Amino acid sequence: MEAILKNKFFVIGGGIVLIISLLVLFAPLLTSYDYGAVDLPNKQLPPGAEHIMGTDLYGRDVWCRIIYGGRVSLTVALGSTAVALVVGTMLGALSGYVRGTLDFVLDRVNDVLMAFPMLLFSLVIGVVLGSSMKNMFLSIGIPIIPMFYRIARATAMSVGGRSYVLAARAMGGGRMRVILRHIIPNVLPHTLVILSSAIGGAILAEASLGFLGFGIPQPTPSWGLIANDGKTYMFSHPWTTAFAGAFIALTILGFNLLGDGLRDWLDPKIRTAAKR
Amino acid sequence: MAEPFIRIENLTKRFSISAGKRIRKTGFTAVNNVSLNIERGEVFGLVGESGCGKSTLSLLVLRLLEANGGAVYHGDTNILELPRRKMRRIRRDMQIVFQDPYDSLDPRFTLERIMNEPLQIHRWGTGAEREARIDELFAAVSLDKQQLKRYPHQLSGGQRQRLCIARSLALSPGFLVCDEAVSALDVSIQAQILNLLLDLKDEFGLTYLFISHNLAVVKFVSDRIGVMYFGKIVELADTDELFDNVLHPYTAALLSAVPDPDPFSEKKRDILPSGVPSLIDPPGGCAFHPRCKYAGERCARESPELRDAGRGHLVACHRLEC
Ligand code: SF4
């Protein structure tokens, strides 16, 4: 555990993620504004004492909208990554262990999923399902399933060849038992390694969708939507979009660094190598 | 002789190597028409070089791999034909210890969970009974039950193999396959584990199929020995008979490869020409003929049958048929 605190990526990434999470969590304490309150006389103000990040084109406080918007963006990112982690790991483990026809079919479906540009795919699902929080989980989560599926499948193939799996079968352990007790627990650490980067990817996907105008409808702010609000006057009044963009970029950076740090620490090869 | 406990008849396993779905399949026969009986209470040793099919045979016998043909009788039942449920029940009586004890133990399981696994699968006893059973097994293999909360990586190689043995005995099997069970261990520990296996055999009335590439190890534990080459049994006899009266040129070559403890011994070695033949493109006739110094014209043409050369000593070689 001490070793991981020496990892710069982990510490910096973790720090960023922690700070942003705290801001978002304690949003009501950090602002006295209402994220939906329109105040047209004070629209598009630059940052100042009253509004530290200025106001948007309806006069809403940008700082307030960003920290509340983080709640939406992070929830969407966490929810969709959770969907992808669970589905991807289960299917990958099943595919890699059972092999045969099931694996052939799932792997082809996976190829098809991967052939779509992620964003386009999210858009299509989003349009088909309609926009709500739950549907965002799916429209962003489904395109990231392949990330988890591929790792889970490859790991399950190697775990499936280990003698302890053979031993469990020799004892009379059924397929489901082997998958639940041996395959998934041994596959999970490998898929968790990419969890953090996947969350970063989901934040980016949500932001892109929001910026394009798809996503959770107004007035609920999400970072992508806030950036979109400022889009029309981006050159004359860049504050709204710039601050939202900065938050998006910083958060993704945080999750990616955290992910890299975790990977260095968790990756069994690197770990055993370090032990020797 | 006692009634055969495990009877293997014409067991065959082919593996196909396919590059893509439509392309012509090539394959090789890892186990080719093998028949042998293992009697209750005996240690049957199976020896051969790596790649000769002995490990495949062990998986087939336990039906961890489906055979392409033949039968494996456990008593009167052909286990290869059993439906899944009945197969599960019979697995209690047939267990295996693998070569690499570290690979045989799930690294995320504590020793306690490892020992409980077979008992849980078969819904054996209550919690307290299981605990007592594990104590008993740990005592039998001389493991310390203080270690139950530990993980396999915290044990030494020898301890891990003791744990594997204890686990394999949890459901009181009658038949135990030891597939290279000591090959991954330090030489000093090999002897301990071999002696432990022999003690356990007497204590629990076990029957072993003991597989190894190491003739010295097989000789030490076995009552009878089968020599396997290229998916076939080429010689089979009681241990003493086999060593007193080697008939097959391959066995002779294996024997001379065992290091002689006497440095001044004049014993000549039959050095085997290197190169096990290709599995995918096997030599015709006797599979051993490209490496055999007695090979004649007939050897390249036809494959020798396994015949009784007297005193139950079976051998497959043309040289002995004249
Ligand atoms: S059959 Fe011929 S080639 Fe085969 S072992 Fe006997 S003598 Fe050698």
Side-chain angles (χ1 to χ4, degrees):
Chain A
M1 206 58 213
E2 279 160 38
I4 195 166
L5 293 178
K6 288 197 187 113
N7 185 313
K8 283 191 204 108
F9 289 144
F10 180 83
V11 173
I12 297 173
I16 295 173
V17 169
L18 185 70
I19 290 171
I20 297 212
S21 312
L22 289 177
L23 288 182
V24 160
L25 213 60
F26 294 110
L29 305 178
L30 298 169
T31 177
S32 48
Y33 293 100
D34 172 357
Y35 64 78
V38 174
D39 181 14
L40 287 176
N42 287 320
K43 68 174 183 173
Q44 294 185 320
L45 293 179
E50 278 288 299
H51 301 281
I52 50 169
M53 287 187 179
T55 56
D56 69 3
L57 76 162
Y58 301 113
R60 298 174 298 197
D61 183 70
V62 173
W63 164 248
C64 166
R65 282 180 69 73
I66 283 179
I67 53 178
Y68 274 100
R71 294 182 159 193
V72 181
S73 290
L74 287 180
T75 311
V76 168
L78 293 177
S80 52
T81 316
V83 167
L85 173 74
V86 171
V87 177
T89 304
M90 302 258 275
L91 291 182
L94 202 65
S95 202
Y97 177 64
V98 176
R99 310 229 186 163
T101 320
L102 177 81
D103 175 43
F104 185 80
V105 173
L106 284 177
D107 205 36
R108 292 296 83 72
V109 172
N110 183 63
D111 286 346
V112 173
L113 283 195
M114 284 177 39
F116 281 100
M118 236 159 89
L119 193 59
L120 183 68
F121 195 22
S122 293
L123 271 177
V124 173
I125 303 174
V127 168
V128 171
L129 293 177
S131 48
S132 75
M133 185 74 99
K134 245 187 252 152
N135 292 342
M136 287 292 278
F137 288 176
L138 296 179
S139 62
I140 293 175
I142 293 172
I144 14 185
I145 289 175
M147 274 176 86
F148 293 102
Y149 172 83
R150 270 165 53 210
I151 294 182
R153 176 171 176 266
T155 320
M157 280 185 167
S158 88
V159 173
R162 304 289 297 270
S163 303
Y164 56 79
V165 170
L166 267 183
R169 285 178 51 211
M171 289 167 212
R175 232 176 216 180
M176 264 305 134
R177 183 184 177 95
V178 169
I179 290 177
L180 292 177
R181 305 276 168 108
H182 295 287
I183 305 285
I184 289 183
N186 280 290
V187 160
L188 207 56
H190 295 257
T191 49
L192 285 178
V193 163
I194 58 158
L195 184 64
S196 195
S197 339
I199 296 173
I203 289 173
L204 183 64
E206 187 281 321
S208 312
L209 286 181
F211 189 73
L212 292 173
F214 299 88
I216 294 160
Q218 294 277 14
T220 327
S222 81
W223 288 341
L225 235 58
I226 298 168
N228 181 52
D229 286 341
K231 190 174 60 181
T232 332
Y233 302 99
M234 197 154 71
F235 296 103
S236 51
H237 303 85
W239 304 115
T240 313
T241 304
F243 280 119
F247 262 78
I248 293 165
L250 194 66
T251 312
I252 295 173
L253 178 74
F255 276 108
N256 284 346
L257 288 177
L258 183 66
D260 287 349
L262 274 177
R263 192 197 51 221
D264 288 353
W265 184 68
L266 279 172
D267 191 307
K269 268 181 235 141
I270 299 171
R271 235 167 111 196
T272 37
K275 253 191 222 159
R276 277 182 192 144
Chain B
M1 278 203 177
E3 93 277 23
F5 179 29
I6 301 292
R7 206 164 87 234
I8 299 171
E9 276 179 11
N10 306 324
L11 201 59
T12 299
K13 177 70 188 178
R14 281 182 297 275
F15 286 106
S16 58
I17 310 161
S18 61
K21 284 275 147 184
R22 297 253 172 82
I23 299 171
R24 185 179 59 100
K25 284 193 178 176
T26 52
F28 62 91
T29 308
V31 173
N32 192 351
N33 218 0
V34 168
S35 300
L36 53 92
N37 293 339
I38 301 172
E39 270 128 43
R40 201 176 275 280
E42 82 168 335
V43 178
F44 187 96
L46 192 62
V47 69
E49 290 166 292
S50 66
C52 74
K54 55 194 193 305
S55 288
T56 307
L57 185 74
S58 72
L59 297 181
L60 293 175
V61 171
L62 296 175
R63 209 178 161 189
L64 291 173
L65 198 63
E66 293 295 330
N68 295 104
V72 176
Y73 287 93
H74 171 278
D76 298 325
T77 11
N78 177 2
I79 64 160
L80 302 193
E81 283 175 353
L82 283 183
R84 198 178 283 187
R85 270 195 139 188
K86 290 199 175 139
M87 187 62 220
R88 244 184 80 158
R89 211 169 308 141
I90 224 157
R91 286 196 185 285
R92 297 176 65 146
D93 201 41
M94 310 174 81
Q95 283 297 315
I96 182 163
V97 176
F98 293 102
Q99 170 167 11
D100 181 353
Y102 192 57
D103 199 54
S104 310
L105 301 165
D106 191 322
R108 313 201 150 260
F109 279 30
T110 59
L111 269 57
E112 190 171 25
R113 233 183 126 190
I114 287 168
M115 289 303 296
N116 264 308
E117 191 175 21
L119 300 173
Q120 280 169 356
I121 287 175
H122 291 276
R123 303 206 172 78
W124 191 98
T126 61
E129 282 168 340
R130 284 180 198 164
E131 215 172 289
R133 175 76 183 144
I134 293 170
D135 282 359
E136 201 181 317
L137 290 162
F138 263 41
V141 300
S142 331
L143 274 178
D144 184 356
K145 64 176 178 183
Q146 302 296 318
Q147 297 188 309
L148 275 171
K149 298 282 180 226
R150 297 194 167 201
Y151 287 89
H153 72 262
Q154 295 169 301
L155 303 183
S156 70
Q159 287 175 324
R160 275 179 218 146
Q161 197 59 304
R162 284 171 194 271
L163 179 64
C164 291
I165 294 169
R167 175 179 64 181
S168 71
L169 295 178
L171 297 162
S172 323
F175 177 58
L176 189 63
V177 177
C178 302
D179 185 1
E180 299 277 12
V182 297
S183 309
L185 304 173
D186 288 350
V187 178
S188 57
I189 295 163
Q190 288 193 2
Q192 287 177 19
I193 300 290
L194 289 175
N195 283 318
L196 173 68
L197 284 169
L198 291 178
D199 291 346
L200 291 170
K201 173 181 138 36
D202 294 338
E203 192 176 340
F204 296 110
L206 300 169
T207 301
Y208 288 146
L209 171 59
F210 193 94
I211 297 176
S212 177
H213 67 280
N214 185 336
L215 198 53
V217 166
V218 172
K219 182 184 180 185
F220 179 70
V221 295
S222 308
D223 300 313
R224 280 194 306 146
I225 295 179
V227 180
M228 205 167 167
Y229 185 73
F230 226 82
K232 284 188 170 176
I233 302 281
V234 294
E235 185 162 12
L236 195 161
D238 288 353
T239 304
D240 295 339
E241 164 68 19
L242 185 80
F243 280 87
D244 292 346
N245 184 16
V246 178
L247 292 178
H248 198 283
Y250 176 63
T251 316
L254 273 187
L255 256 179
S256 71
V258 176
D260 198 314
D262 175 6
F264 302 108
S265 126
E266 291 287 297
K267 198 181 98 183
K268 274 211 301 270
R269 284 182 159 208
D270 271 333
I271 306 290
L272 267 182
S274 63
V276 179
S278 154
L279 284 164
I280 294 165
D281 184 21
C286 173
F288 190 53
H289 87 260
R291 300 167 86 189
C292 178
K293 60 181 177 185
Y294 304 106
E297 167 270 333
R298 190 179 170 198
C299 303
R301 212 166 9 93
E302 77 186 80
S303 169
E305 294 281 310
L306 197 60
R307 290 169 205 279
D308 195 335
R311 294 178 303 271
H313 191 146
L314 306 180
V315 64
C317 175
H318 291 312
R319 198 168 61 109
L320 302 155
E321 284 171 21
C322 313

